[in-house]
C-alpha cells in the first residue's frame, strides 16, 4: 500500500485524502504535505482508510519503496494532480 492514495473513512478527518508513507500489520502512516507532513505523520488503522486505486503516482511509490524520502511538496503536488483528475472525469 505504500505510495498509494487513501481516503479516511472515519474520524474527524473523514473523506480527507492522504498519501500512505509507510505501513505495518495494523496501521498506516499518512501525509497530506500541508497539515500532516513527513515530520508529523498521521497514524491510522488500516480499517479506517479506503484505498484510491484509480490514481497511481509511480515516482512517489518508487521513492518510498526504495527507502528514499518524499518531500512535502511532492505529496501536495500528487494530491493536487489527483483532485484535478477527479474534476476532469466528473469525480468518477
Amino acid at each position: 500500500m505504500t505510495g498509494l492514495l487513501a481516503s479516511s473513512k472515519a474520524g474527524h478527518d473523514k473523506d480527507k485524502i492522504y498519501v500512505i508513507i509507510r505501513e505495518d500489520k495494523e496501521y498506516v502512516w499518512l501525509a497530506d504535505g500541508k497539515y500532516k507532513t513527513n515530520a508529523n505523520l498521521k497514524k491510522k488503522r488500516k480499517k479506517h482508510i479506503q484505498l484510491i486505486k484509480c490514481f497511481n503516482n509511480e515516482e512517489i511509490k518508487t521513492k518510498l519503496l526504495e527507502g528514499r524520502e518524499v518531500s512535502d511538496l511532492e505529496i501536495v503536488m500528487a494530491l493536487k494532480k489527483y483532485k484535478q483528475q477527479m474534476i476532469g472525469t466528473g469525480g468518477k
Side-chain angles (χ1 to χ4, degrees):
M1 284 195 277
T2 301
L4 295 177
L5 297 186
S7 173
S8 174
K9 294 193 311 186
H12 66 87
D13 63 340
K14 185 177 180 189
D15 297 327
K16 186 148 175 64
I17 308 295
Y18 295 100
V19 174
I20 300 173
I21 302 299
R22 67 177 190 263
E23 65 177 306
D24 67 13
K25 184 179 174 188
E26 191 174 348
Y27 294 98
V28 290
W29 283 263
L30 308 166
D32 66 6
K34 187 173 180 181
Y35 299 108
K36 291 299 178 183
T37 62
N38 277 323
N40 184 29
L41 297 173
K42 175 148 188 78
K43 182 179 177 183
K44 201 157 186 79
R45 289 185 186 271
K46 286 182 177 181
K47 68 181 182 178
H48 292 152
I49 63 164
Q50 176 67 48
L51 291 178
I52 298 172
K53 296 180 181 177
C54 66
F55 182 83
N56 193 2
N57 189 321
E58 285 298 323
E59 184 178 337
I60 288 179
K61 187 174 183 178
T62 301
K63 275 185 162 184
L64 290 170
L65 292 174
E66 291 175 352
R68 296 186 289 156
E69 189 171 316
V70 176
S71 73
D72 292 324
L73 180 59
E74 288 175 295
I75 293 168
V76 169
M77 296 306 292
L79 294 175
K80 184 176 181 180
K81 186 175 177 182
Y82 167 73
K83 289 174 185 172
Q84 287 174 341
Q85 176 183 317
M86 294 313 299
I87 291 170
T89 60
K92 295 181 182 178

